[in-house]
Amino acid sequence: MLQKTNSDEMTADLNVVHKSAEHLIALVNDTLDFSKIESQKMKIEHIDFLPDEILTEVYTLHKDSAQKKGIQLIVNNNTNGNLVLQGDPIRLKQILINLITNAIKFTNHGQITLAVSGKEIQDQTYLLQIEVSDTGIGISKEDLHLIFDEFVQLDTGLTQKQRGAGLGLSIVKKLVLLQDGKIEVDSTLGKGTLFTLQIPYQKGDPERIKKQTVEQPVILPWFHNLHFLIVDDEEYNLYLIKNILNSWGVTFTEAHNGREAVELAEINNFDIILMDIRMPVMDGYEATKLILQHRPSSKIIALTATTKSADIQKIEMAGMHAFLQKPFTESALHNTIMKLLADQSQETISENNTIDLNE
């Protein structure tokens, strides 16, 4: 269980989460991106951005995962921190997220380093150079030429433990090529892997950098008495939700699959349960049915990436009270919770506060 903290580190992390929100919402899943690229429907944006901000966000999103494995995550930005480039920051972030996630997955000790440098190669054109190195299990020379092929998961001994469709590195290469860049990989089995890429960008205009403002929901005093259960097996989703709840000052417990959620709900009366749908061990549908059998009054919000009417119907049939399509904004989460609790007596939330939720 985590509680709100006022530390400078948490404040900095929350700022990154808020600043990343719109970017993360624009990141679609690997399979969808792959189909867009293959059908030549992927559009590369040309907007002004700060590479230094992208690096900060990528580091913040991955540092907990690295720390849990005892790995040191290092980011070396050798460019000017105020450098403004023109291009697609969403796709740059997606490339870096895929490379760092892959490195963490296959590194059990040592460190992962993201090094960025660059140079002006001609008037108003800047070549951004990126290296992602790790001290992981490495790739054999025989398999190295397969690393960017789609739907390929190399037999590393860890393959059976890792999830995914085998599209991440294929998409990285395709995104780099779409931006007129190039990417290379070098690896030694048992020692580690190095990805090197270069992407040309136009020099940007600092005056056109968007000043991001985040719409903060109003958190009423009785919110601090709530206890949430968040159920999700994805590290990024958990990270974002936990930071949102921390900023609201509410307590929460986390579960990583449906079975854990059912066991926790048997011994705790949670005010709100945020339930992912697709999880290992037990999915959200089954977990919801079992929880409602034991605690019929439980308020459960489905977290899902689907838009299919059949899936939405399954959510309703399982007994969930609302659903949020992932990725979602902080305001969307807050609004859904407020609507769900509008039917609940304020006396069960707080004996000291009487609030009209319909105002």
Side-chain angles (χ1 to χ4, degrees):
M1 183 184 301
L2 297 174
Q3 302 225 352
K4 183 179 180 181
T5 174
N6 291 318
S7 70
D8 291 339
E9 182 179 0
M10 177 58 72
T11 301
D13 285 1
L14 287 171
N15 286 336
V16 168
V17 170
H18 290 316
K19 289 174 68 177
S20 297
E22 294 304 317
H23 279 193
L24 290 169
I25 286 171
L27 291 177
V28 293
N29 65 64
D30 281 355
T31 305
L32 179 57
D33 270 1
F34 184 78
S35 65
K36 282 185 177 180
I37 294 170
E38 291 297 283
S39 63
Q40 298 183 335
K41 292 181 179 179
M42 173 70 71
K43 292 183 179 180
I44 299 298
E45 300 291 338
H46 295 280
I47 60 177
D48 295 279
F49 70 96
L50 286 161
D52 191 63
E53 281 192 356
I54 302 295
L55 297 178
T56 299
E57 293 167 18
V58 169
Y59 171 77
T60 302
L61 289 170
H62 288 88
K63 66 178 183 178
D64 286 351
S65 296
Q67 187 176 25
K68 285 178 181 177
K69 293 191 71 174
I71 305 165
Q72 188 176 11
L73 179 58
I74 301 169
V75 176
N76 291 327
N77 182 12
N78 298 308
T79 68
N80 185 328
N82 296 317
L83 174 69
V84 176
L85 299 178
Q86 187 180 98
D88 196 326
I90 298 296
R91 300 308 163 192
L92 175 59
K93 185 186 294 187
Q94 188 170 14
I95 289 167
L96 295 179
I97 284 175
N98 275 326
L99 289 176
I100 300 295
T101 299
N102 191 71
I104 291 174
K105 184 185 294 185
F106 295 109
T107 303
N108 294 318
H109 58 79
Q111 66 185 41
I112 296 166
T113 303
L114 168 59
V116 180
S117 59
K119 59 183 178 181
E120 195 163 339
I121 54 176
Q122 60 188 52
D123 186 40
Q124 294 303 307
T125 302
Y126 191 91
L127 187 65
L128 194 66
Q129 302 180 83
I130 299 167
E131 292 185 352
V132 177
S133 60
D134 64 59
T135 56
I137 60 176
I139 308 161
S140 69
K141 298 301 180 185
E142 294 77 15
D143 288 335
L144 201 57
H145 71 285
L146 299 172
I147 195 68
F148 293 116
D149 289 355
E150 54 262 26
F151 302 107
V152 168
Q153 290 185 319
L154 302 180
D155 184 11
T156 62
L158 290 180
T159 303
Q160 298 302 316
K161 299 178 182 179
Q162 305 300 336
R163 303 174 63 225
L167 286 171
L169 292 179
S170 175
I171 284 180
V172 165
K173 182 172 183 178
K174 292 178 185 296
L175 288 175
V176 171
L177 295 178
L178 274 175
Q179 297 173 91
D180 299 320
K182 63 179 182 178
I183 182 168
E184 298 174 348
V185 58
D186 187 29
S187 186
T188 302
L189 195 63
K191 292 190 175 180
T193 303
L194 169 65
F195 288 91
T196 305
L197 56 148
Q198 298 179 335
I199 302 176
Y201 292 99
Q202 293 297 303
K203 293 289 290 293
D205 182 356
E207 296 297 321
R208 288 202 296 264
I209 291 291
K210 291 183 179 179
K211 301 298 181 183
Q212 297 187 3
T213 57
V214 178
E215 182 184 349
Q216 291 277 11
V218 177
I219 305 303
L220 299 174
W222 56 263
F223 238 67
H224 303 296
N225 298 308
L226 297 177
H227 187 189
F228 285 66
L229 174 63
I230 51 177
V231 191
D232 206 308
D233 65 317
E234 291 291 343
E235 202 65 37
Y236 294 135
N237 296 338
L238 284 172
Y239 178 84
L240 292 172
I241 295 170
K242 288 191 292 186
N243 275 284
I244 288 172
L245 297 184
N246 271 319
S247 73
W248 292 355
V250 302
T251 59
F252 58 84
T253 301
E254 60 183 283
H256 300 89
N257 58 63
R259 172 57 62 191
E260 287 184 15
V262 172
E263 293 172 353
L264 286 166
E266 286 179 354
I267 58 176
N268 296 280
N269 187 19
F270 297 103
D271 295 292
I272 290 288
I273 299 176
L274 303 175
M275 180 73 73
D276 186 28
I277 296 300
R278 292 181 173 84
M279 295 178 290
V281 184
M282 180 186 290
D283 64 26
Y285 300 120
E286 187 176 355
T288 295
K289 292 175 182 177
L290 292 175
I291 289 172
L292 291 175
Q293 284 177 14
H294 181 72
R295 291 188 186 275
S297 62
S298 296
K299 304 288 187 181
I300 303 176
I301 299 173
L303 306 180
T304 177
T306 186
T307 57
K308 296 179 180 178
S309 57
D311 291 333
I312 302 303
Q313 188 175 16
K314 281 182 68 176
I315 288 172
E316 294 174 351
M317 290 177 63
M320 299 184 202
H321 300 81
F323 75 93
L324 277 171
Q325 185 180 345
K326 295 191 292 187
F328 50 82
T329 64
E330 178 179 356
S331 294
L333 176 61
H334 180 264
N335 291 340
T336 301
I337 293 169
M338 291 294 285
K339 289 177 182 177
L340 194 55
L341 294 182
D343 297 330
Q344 185 171 328
S345 169
Q346 287 302 304
E347 293 180 2
T348 64
I349 299 174
S350 172
E351 296 180 357
N352 302 318
N353 297 288
T354 303
I355 307 228
D356 184 359
L357 295 180
N358 297 313
E359 287 184 352

